[in-house]
Amino acid sequence: MELAKYKACICEGAAESAIMDILLDAELLVFSREEMLEEAVIRCRDGKKFEQKYLRKGFAEKISVIRILDSRREKFKIGKAYEHKIDVINVITAPEIEMLIIFAENQYKEFKKSGKKPSDFCKENLRMPDVKTYDFVLDYFSDSKILVAAIKEYHRTAKIPKGEYTLLDLLK
C-alpha cells in the first residue's frame, strides 16, 4: 500500500474512530497524525460532503483517503473533477469492529457458537452495553498492545479476500 503525502482517515463509527485514535496516539500506524487532514480522524461517510469540505481547498498534491468501514459494498462517490486528486483505500473491518473485543476477551469460540452479531454478543454475553461508544473503546483498549494483539488474532483467523486491506496493513 502506497500512501500520498496527505492522508484523510475516515471512520464510519465511534468505535472505529477510537481505535484509530489509539493507534495514532501510540504511533503504531504507517502514517502520523501530522500527515492527516486537520490532524484528526474524519467522520464523514459521504463522498460528496467530503469533496465539499476538504477537496475544494486546492491541494497541490494527491490525497490518500483511508476509509475504515465494515461494508465491502459502500461506495465513495466524488465528482469527476476530483477523482484524480485522491486515491481511496478501503480498510475493511467486517463483520464488525467489535470482533477485536471478542478476540481480546478470548471469546471467539463462544462467539462462533452463539450465532449472534459481534455487537450483540459483546452487549449480551460480555455485558458491555456501551461497546459501540467512543469512550468505552478508548478505555477498553487503553493498552495499545492489547489492541494490536487483537488485530493480529483477527487477521489470523478471518477469511480476508485477496487484495483487501485490514487494520493490520496500517500497522508499522
Side-chain angles (χ1 to χ4, degrees):
M1 169 186 347
E2 197 168 312
L3 298 174
K5 180 179 177 182
Y6 300 110
K7 288 105 182 139
C9 184
I10 300 176
C11 291
E12 73 165 357
E16 291 85 353
S17 293
I19 284 170
M20 292 308 292
D21 279 339
I22 291 163
L23 295 171
L24 282 161
D25 292 342
E27 298 181 0
L28 295 171
L29 297 176
V30 294
F31 59 92
S32 68
R33 210 176 269 289
E34 291 73 34
E35 297 171 69
M36 295 168 57
L37 299 184
E38 298 188 357
E39 295 189 11
V41 172
I42 298 168
R43 293 281 301 278
C44 173
R45 293 167 72 168
D46 184 75
K48 292 287 184 198
K49 286 181 183 159
F50 177 81
E51 175 187 320
Q52 289 170 349
K53 189 166 182 182
Y54 299 100
L55 297 181
R56 296 188 179 163
K57 292 183 178 176
F59 286 94
E61 297 185 45
K62 203 167 196 157
I63 299 171
S64 287
V65 177
I66 304 154
R67 298 173 66 219
I68 315 297
L69 65 165
D70 63 16
S71 171
R72 292 177 176 92
R73 292 182 293 282
E74 194 172 307
K75 299 293 176 223
F76 192 71
K77 295 199 184 303
I78 61 163
K80 290 240 182 272
Y82 296 98
E83 283 178 347
H84 69 283
K85 293 187 178 248
I86 68 166
D87 58 318
V88 178
I89 298 158
N90 292 321
V91 177
I92 308 297
T93 62
E96 296 177 37
I97 202 79
E98 290 81 12
M99 285 302 297
L100 297 177
I101 291 172
I102 291 168
F103 282 112
E105 291 287 322
N106 200 21
Q107 290 291 306
Y108 184 66
K109 284 182 180 149
E110 293 303 314
F111 162 73
K112 289 300 274 184
K113 282 188 234 167
S114 77
K116 295 178 182 177
K117 286 177 34 183
S119 55
D120 291 338
F121 181 84
C122 289
K123 289 174 185 173
E124 296 163 18
N125 296 53
L126 302 179
R127 300 198 179 1
M128 298 175 175
D130 300 331
V131 72
K132 287 191 172 283
T133 68
Y134 181 91
D135 290 337
F136 176 85
V137 175
L138 199 66
D139 183 57
Y140 183 87
F141 287 118
S142 58
D143 180 349
S144 59
K145 290 182 193 80
I146 293 169
L147 174 57
V148 170
I151 290 169
K152 288 178 178 176
E153 186 60 15
Y154 167 77
H155 196 274
R156 189 183 71 75
T157 61
K159 289 177 176 52
I160 298 160
K162 192 168 175 62
E164 185 171 284
Y165 294 112
T166 68
L167 289 171
L168 186 69
D169 297 305
L170 295 179
L171 295 177
K172 283 184 181 173

